[in-house]
Amino acid sequence: AAGGASAGGSSFDPDAITHSVWYDGSADRMAKTFSSGSAQSELVFATWFQRCNLTTEQVIFNATGGTGGGSRNNRIVLNGDDTFEIHTESSTAATTTYNTSTTGGKLKDVGWYHCIVSFKGDAGSNSVKLFINGVEQSLTINTGSAFTGSLSSFGNAAEHEFAELTGTGIQIYKGYLAQSIMLVGQSVQGGDVAVTDFLNEVESRFVPRADADVAALASTAGGNSFCLDYSNASDLGNDISSNNNDFTLTSMDSANQTIHSPSRQFPIFSFIGSNDANSLNDNMEFGNRLNIGVGDWKSAIADKMFGTSGKWYVEVRMNNDTASNGMPIGIMPTEDASGAFNTFIGTGFAQDGYSQYSFDNRIYHGNSTQVLNAGATCAAGDILQLALD
C-alpha cells in the first residue's frame, strides 16, 4: 500500500486536473437532452476513466434519439471481455459496431486511462478512430460495414448520458471519470484537433492537459459541445466551456466528487491478484471502500507502491465494524504481494512486512506480535495510520 499524491518530473502539473467524479455502478448517472441540433458527420468525444469493476459490460457515454427515431443510439462501451466498443447508428439506420482486439491488449488495468473517439463519416475505413493514452488503437468491425454519413444522435437534438444506457441490458458504469469533453462538428481525421490538444507531451510521454485548456476546445467548437471538469461539488454537471451545456444528476451529489485525478493519483484498492478477486470486484465501493460481510477474510492491495526510498504515509478509515472483528492494514515487500493471505502481513511467508490489527491493537512483524496499547480497540470512524521512512 502507498499513500499520497504523485507527480512526475518538474514539467508534470499535479493541478492540471483537479477533480474527478465517481459512479456507483447502480443508479448514478448524468444526462443532458439538447433541444436543438442536427445529425453530425464529424464529432470527438474524450475522457479520462478509471475502472472499479472488470469483466462486465458497462457504458461510459451514449446518446439516444435524434435523427431517425427515438430508439437510435450511439454509445461508447467497455465490454465484458475488457475490450473497448464503439457503436454507431447513422441517420440512414446503418449500424456499425467497432471493437478493439481481444489479443491486442485488454483494458484490465485499474489505473487511469484516457480515450479519444473521433468520427468522420466521409473518411472511409478511417471514419472511426480510437486513441487510448494517446496511442491509436486497431479497430475491428464486428457488426455492419464502416460508418458513413452522419451519426443519429451524438451531437444531435437527443439525450446524452454518462454511465447508463436505459433499456439495452448494458450495465451502468462503475468507476471514475475526469475531464469529459464532446466536440461537435470536428474530428481528428479532418485535422480540427490532434491528440496533443487533449494530452501534453512531456519527455516523450503523454500527461494530462489542464481543464481550462481542454475546455477551450469545446468553446471553439460551439453548439452542443461541452467540457465537464467536475470541480464544482454543488454542480458536478457544470459545463465549464462557454456553451453552458450543463448536465443533470441522478442519484448523485457532492459526495460523488473526489480530488483523486489523473494529475493527483491517490491509491485505490486493486482486486487483481486477490485471494477472492470476484467478490472484491463486486464489493469495491469508490475503489477505496471495501464492503464485505461478517466473518469474511479478504485482502486487497493498493494500486501504488511505496517505491524503494523516501518517506511515505497512508491511512485507512474503518467505516463500520458490525461484528467487532476489526481489520489489519500493512506494508510488505513487493515479492510477497500475492494477495492470497491466510495470515496477517508480518507473519507466515510475509514476515518482513508490518501490519497493524485494529481489533487487539497489535503490530505484527517477524512472525511475532507487539501490543501497542493493551485493551484498546479500533471503532467505527477511527483511522489507522502508518508511516514509513
Side-chain angles (χ1 to χ4, degrees):
S6 67
S10 59
S11 54
F12 183 95
D13 181 4
D15 294 315
I17 300 177
T18 61
H19 293 84
S20 67
V21 68
W22 187 82
Y23 292 89
D24 67 359
S26 176
D28 294 352
R29 70 185 185 103
M30 291 188 191
K32 165 75 175 178
T33 299
F34 292 99
S35 59
S36 62
S38 57
Q40 298 294 319
S41 61
E42 293 185 83
L43 184 135
V44 178
F45 173 78
T47 191
W48 288 90
F49 65 96
Q50 183 174 34
R51 309 185 66 184
C52 292
N53 198 345
L54 304 180
T55 65
T56 57
E57 189 176 23
Q58 302 174 70
V59 63
I60 294 177
F61 183 65
N62 83 94
T64 302
T67 305
S71 63
R72 298 276 185 84
N73 69 78
N74 306 143
R75 61 183 184 261
I76 296 169
V77 174
L78 294 165
N79 284 320
D81 62 0
D82 299 313
T83 58
F84 204 90
E85 178 181 296
I86 303 163
H87 177 89
T88 68
E89 292 187 23
S90 74
S91 55
T92 59
T95 299
T96 308
T97 301
Y98 294 85
N99 287 89
T100 53
S101 170
T102 56
T103 59
K106 297 185 177 184
L107 301 175
K108 294 185 74 71
D109 194 341
V110 294
W112 282 101
Y113 288 101
H114 183 267
C115 72
I116 303 170
V117 184
S118 179
F119 305 89
K120 193 174 190 302
D122 62 359
S125 60
N126 292 317
S127 59
V128 178
K129 283 183 175 289
L130 169 67
F131 301 84
I132 299 292
N133 295 340
V135 179
E136 185 171 1
Q137 306 296 300
S138 176
L139 293 174
T140 300
I141 296 177
N142 286 354
T143 303
S145 55
F147 162 68
T148 59
S150 300
L151 297 161
S152 62
S153 47
F154 273 155
N156 204 340
E159 182 182 43
H160 291 62
E161 191 172 34
F162 284 96
E164 183 179 14
L165 182 54
T166 306
T168 65
I170 296 175
Q171 291 193 24
I172 299 173
Y173 175 67
K174 184 177 183 180
Y176 296 86
L177 294 181
Q179 198 183 79
S180 306
I181 182 171
M182 184 176 76
L183 305 178
V184 175
Q186 297 189 356
S187 67
V188 174
Q189 298 91 315
D192 304 292
V193 290
V195 169
T196 49
D197 289 316
F198 301 91
L199 300 169
N200 264 324
E201 190 171 1
V202 176
E203 298 174 356
S204 299
R205 63 192 178 101
F206 288 117
V207 300
R209 274 197 178 275
D211 289 324
D213 294 342
V214 176
L217 302 176
S219 297
T220 301
N224 292 341
S225 304
F226 62 81
C227 181
L228 309 183
D229 71 345
Y230 313 115
S231 64
N232 187 342
S234 62
D235 187 11
L236 288 176
N238 179 51
D239 174 14
I240 63 169
S241 80
S242 60
N243 300 312
N244 295 318
N245 289 318
D246 296 351
F247 278 64
T248 300
L249 280 62
T250 297
S251 186
M252 300 175 69
D253 55 31
S254 59
N256 290 81
Q257 184 199 58
T258 81
I259 59 171
H260 165 61
S261 80
S263 298
R264 294 185 292 184
Q265 299 180 33
F266 287 83
I268 67 170
F269 289 135
S270 173
F271 41 80
I272 297 173
S274 166
N275 59 334
D276 193 351
N278 290 334
S279 176
L280 288 177
N281 189 18
D282 294 336
N283 292 294
M284 204 74 73
E285 300 176 0
F286 280 71
N288 60 16
R289 185 166 64 190
L290 179 59
N291 181 22
I292 60 175
V294 175
D296 286 343
W297 288 93
K298 305 184 189 304
S299 55
I301 299 172
D303 66 343
K304 289 174 65 64
M305 294 188 296
F306 280 131
T308 58
S309 63
K311 296 181 180 182
W312 300 81
Y313 171 77
V314 62
E315 60 183 35
V316 177
R317 179 181 186 271
M318 178 179 286
N319 190 58
N320 193 16
D321 186 19
T322 304
S324 298
N325 282 332
M327 64 179 183
I329 68 165
I331 58 174
M332 61 186 164
T334 304
E335 58 267 23
D336 293 335
S338 70
F341 301 120
N342 294 317
T343 56
F344 296 127
I345 297 173
T347 64
F349 64 86
Q351 295 181 31
D352 289 336
Y354 291 83
S355 68
Q356 178 182 356
Y357 184 35
S358 66
F359 176 66
D360 58 7
N361 209 19
R362 292 173 180 265
I363 285 285
Y364 289 76
H365 173 66
N367 215 27
S368 63
T369 64
Q370 176 185 352
V371 177
L372 293 174
N373 187 359
T377 59
C378 182
D382 288 346
I383 295 173
L384 280 69
Q385 301 165 288
L386 186 151
L388 173 68
D389 184 353

